Amino acid sequence: MTTVWTDGIERVVISAGEIADRVCQLGRQISDDYRSREGKDPRGRSLLVVGILKGAMPFMADLVRALDLPIEYDFMAVSSYGNGTSPGEVRILKDLDCAIGGRDVLIVEDIVDTGRTLQHLLGGLSARGPATLRVCTLLDKPHRREVEVPVDYAGFVVPENLFVVGYGLDYAEVYRNLPFVGILKPGYIRDG
Ligand code: 5GP
């Protein structure tokens, strides 16, 4: 029997259709919330949506197209030193191209787990003096939090014991391009 790269998937946890519906809802909610701030920036600048690479890429691409607002977008890349399934130290690999002083900024994340990545990002970005700084994450694991972080918009809550892949989320850099969020068969996860 031939093996295919999706053989490692145990089951789908959130389908592509469920993701698409939720992204539309989030787009509407975020658009409504920020519409009231349109024109508030004295220099006429629009909302800056900041995607956190690499995991937020598919979510970010769909979310920005669900926003009925003028926006700009940029990306940051962070790495956390750790093994495949547990987090470690946070390091910024790519910073924003523009200054954010006085601007409305929305961070887009793939998943908030312990909260350490987001805490590090929020600390650095809030020191640059944005007018507002909010967070939108596709997935949230609130029961795994080690530090308190504000999550303004969350797509789905994921059970704390699940390590999920797909729609941007990887295991050893693979599975990011799955159109759904799923879990791997135990035999496909190496220890350490
Ligand atoms: P933090 O623990 O700092 O909130 O999250 C750190 C990073 O761990 C996330 O950005 C994500 O890359 C990774 N992570 C946390 N939970 C999962 C998960 O269930 N699946 C995958 N693929 N990555 C996760």
Side-chain angles (χ1 to χ4, degrees):
M1 199 168 64
T2 49
T3 56
V4 294
W5 69 283
T6 50
D7 280 352
I9 304 299
E10 167 108 12
R11 68 179 166 89
V12 174
V13 177
I14 309 167
S15 70
E18 288 171 315
I19 294 171
D21 288 348
R22 188 72 184 112
V23 169
C24 277
Q25 288 173 354
L26 285 170
R28 271 197 298 274
Q29 188 185 350
I30 294 169
S31 302
D32 288 347
D33 291 352
Y34 282 93
R35 206 165 282 126
S36 60
R37 293 193 55 79
E38 267 186 282
K40 290 264 163 60
D41 185 308
R43 288 163 59 187
R45 294 166 302 183
S46 39
L47 171 66
L48 178 68
V49 183
V50 176
I52 308 303
L53 297 172
K54 301 173 191 171
M57 193 275 275
F59 178 43
M60 171 89 168
D62 288 338
L63 184 69
V64 293
R65 287 177 293 175
L67 294 177
D68 185 16
L69 286 174
I71 64 147
E72 293 172 35
Y73 64 66
D74 198 353
F75 295 93
M76 288 180 79
V78 297
S79 77
S80 83
Y81 296 101
N83 61 31
T85 58
S86 61
E89 281 292 298
V90 180
R91 196 163 61 110
I92 291 186
L93 303 176
K94 183 216 172 290
D95 207 338
L96 296 173
D97 293 337
C98 60
I100 58 166
R103 297 197 64 170
D104 289 324
V105 178
L106 177 67
I107 297 177
V108 176
E109 268 279 23
D110 52 355
I111 189 164
V112 182
D113 183 25
T114 64
R116 293 196 182 280
T117 306
L118 194 53
Q119 183 190 49
H120 187 86
L121 279 166
L122 287 171
L125 292 178
S126 59
R128 302 180 196 181
T132 63
L133 182 58
R134 291 187 192 157
V135 176
C136 176
T137 184
L138 175 72
L139 305 176
D140 194 6
K141 287 182 175 171
H143 306 294
R144 291 251 313 161
R145 250 1 152 260
E146 291 173 9
V147 291
E148 220 176 292
V149 281
V151 173
D152 301 277
Y153 307 97
F156 302 90
V157 169
V158 179
E160 59 186 301
N161 55 338
L162 291 190
F163 182 82
V164 291
V165 296
Y167 198 66
L169 289 134
D170 73 310
Y171 174 64
E173 294 298 327
V174 185
Y175 303 110
R176 292 189 195 276
N177 57 322
L178 289 173
F180 55 82
V181 170
I183 53 169
L184 293 172
K185 291 175 186 161
Y188 282 76
I189 298 179
R190 291 183 304 273
D191 288 335

